[in-house]
Amino acid sequence: MVETIPSFGLGTFRVEAAKTAKAVESALQIGYRHIDTAQYYNNEAAVGQGVRDSGIARDDIWVTTKVWWERLQRDALIASLKDSHAKLDIGTIDLALVHWPSPKGAVPIAETLAALQEAQKLGLIRHYGVSNFTAPLLEEALKAPGGREIVTNQIEVSPFLANRSLVDATQRLGVTVTAYMPLGEGRAHKDSTIRSIADKHGATPAQVTFAWLLARKIVVLSASTNAEHQQVNWDAQKLKLDAEDIAKIDTLDEGRRNANPSFAPKW
Ligand SMILES: NC(=O)c1ccc[n+]([C@@H]2O[C@H](COP(=O)([O-])OP(=O)(O)OC[C@H]3O[C@@H](n4cnc5c(N)ncnc54)[C@H](OP(=O)(O)O)[C@@H]3O)[C@@H](O)[C@H]2O)c1
């Protein structure tokens, strides 16, 4: 059984179901042991298929899914996780996240946390956590019954959105940060600063970006359906940046957020 969230995972957002099983299977063959999906991505069944097809022991793999913000009331949340559990068809789900906080606190976080604990007792999930929570929302959640069990806050972090105050607050509260959209919607590949650091190390811009996140003790999610890209990304874990590289990447922060839908909290 994987007991803590593995530091490098495969994302599956915007990966069509038809390509997902193969992408998951090839990532697992490379060595990935952490796969991230969501009810919202409509590909949970294919994620489960990829896990089963890989031939790798189920207990060696960590699978995360998410509950959409419209399903955070007790009954809706349990129904959502029963659905995810059936679609994934891999036994107990390792981690379930609240995908976005309930807009304007319409559903109290205490109700959602109680439902997540119930889902644990039902054997649907092993752990729970949150995503897209601001520092005040995370603090409120941590104070509610069961809040201390929150294992991660999954948020957008890239060189162009270092998200420093939220990352620092989350880590200070003892919660692991998981980064999504780490490449800034493809911008990292073209950035001249990141490219020059990549050249210096004989690495790629994606690898430099992931190494910068790992140096900040942030769990990385990278998505790719291309096995070569998956291998390159995985190998980023071997790259060690020096203090000068990190300082240069730190200057790229523009506070530029890609994921900011109408139902997002006030950042
Ligand atoms: N909690 C949330 O609200 C939330 C929001 C967004 C995302 N997420 C999660 O975070 C994951 C990561 O975010 P993301 O999907 O935006 O990931 P990303 O890794 O920043 O971007 C994925 C894109 O980058 C390309 N790519 C990846 N590695 C590459 C490489 N080495 N060289 C060239 N292109 C490369 C992929 O194309 P190819 O397939 O061609 O390689 C794909 O188009 C998602 O998949 C999802 O699981 C969560």
Side-chain angles (χ1 to χ4, degrees):
M1 207 68 86
V2 188
E3 282 312 332
T4 50
I5 187 163
S7 56
F8 202 92
L10 181 82
T12 62
F13 179 42
R14 291 182 286 212
V15 179
E16 44 184 300
K19 290 191 179 163
T20 303
K22 261 201 153 355
V24 168
E25 191 186 347
S26 76
L28 291 170
Q29 298 302 341
I30 287 166
Y32 290 71
R33 290 294 179 269
H34 171 184
I35 311 291
D36 183 86
T37 181
Q39 271 264 311
Y40 182 73
Y41 303 168
N42 247 327
N43 58 16
E44 288 172 305
V47 166
Q49 189 67 49
V51 167
R52 289 189 300 278
D53 290 350
S54 73
I56 290 163
R58 167 66 189 99
D59 279 358
D60 293 342
I61 305 170
W62 176 286
V63 176
T64 300
T65 195
K66 312 185 192 83
V67 180
W68 194 236
W69 64 266
E70 288 164 309
R71 305 185 78 180
L72 299 179
Q73 303 91 337
R74 186 256 166 213
D75 291 358
L77 183 138
I78 298 289
S80 176
L81 286 175
K82 280 187 175 165
D83 238 28
S84 293
H85 185 266
K87 283 183 182 148
L88 280 160
D89 195 16
I90 51 171
T92 304
I93 298 165
D94 299 278
L95 175 64
L97 301 180
V98 175
H99 203 147
W100 288 87
S102 180
K104 300 195 172 81
V107 181
I109 187 66
E111 176 175 345
T112 298
L113 286 170
L116 286 164
Q117 290 168 85
E118 201 180 328
Q120 273 181 322
K121 292 199 187 92
L122 290 169
L124 299 172
I125 62 170
R126 287 204 296 133
H127 302 281
Y128 53 82
V130 298
S131 178
N132 297 302
F133 271 45
T134 60
L137 287 171
L138 181 61
E139 275 182 63
E140 184 192 340
L142 287 168
K143 282 184 198 141
R148 286 306 327 169
E149 304 305 315
I150 289 173
V151 301
T152 194
N153 186 15
Q154 187 183 120
I155 54 175
E156 183 179 353
V157 190
S158 77
F160 318 104
L161 177 70
N163 224 339
R164 208 161 287 283
S165 62
L166 181 52
V167 168
D168 290 351
T170 300
Q171 291 178 334
R172 231 187 358 258
L173 290 163
V175 175
T176 298
V177 174
T178 302
Y180 71 70
M181 289 182 169
L183 300 172
E185 299 276 61
R187 206 175 143 194
H189 303 301
K190 295 172 260 160
D191 183 87
S192 59
T193 301
I194 297 176
R195 287 178 74 109
S196 72
I197 297 168
D199 288 347
K200 173 176 140 187
H201 290 280
T204 71
Q207 288 177 326
V208 168
T209 303
F210 301 146
W212 172 76
L213 287 161
L214 293 169
R216 294 175 66 194
K217 306 265 181 277
I218 295 174
V219 172
V220 173
L221 292 179
S222 80
S224 179
T225 53
N226 176 317
E228 279 172 34
H229 290 168
Q230 289 179 349
Q231 182 71 59
V232 165
N233 297 349
W234 179 249
D235 290 343
Q237 295 172 97
K238 290 184 234 153
L239 176 62
K240 294 279 171 278
L241 301 178
D242 58 40
E244 191 192 344
D245 301 329
I246 291 172
K248 280 186 186 161
I249 300 169
D250 286 346
T251 67
L252 301 176
D253 184 19
E254 295 170 356
R256 187 179 178 279
R257 199 173 286 283
N258 286 302
N260 202 13
S262 57
F263 51 79
K266 285 239 175 312
W267 300 107

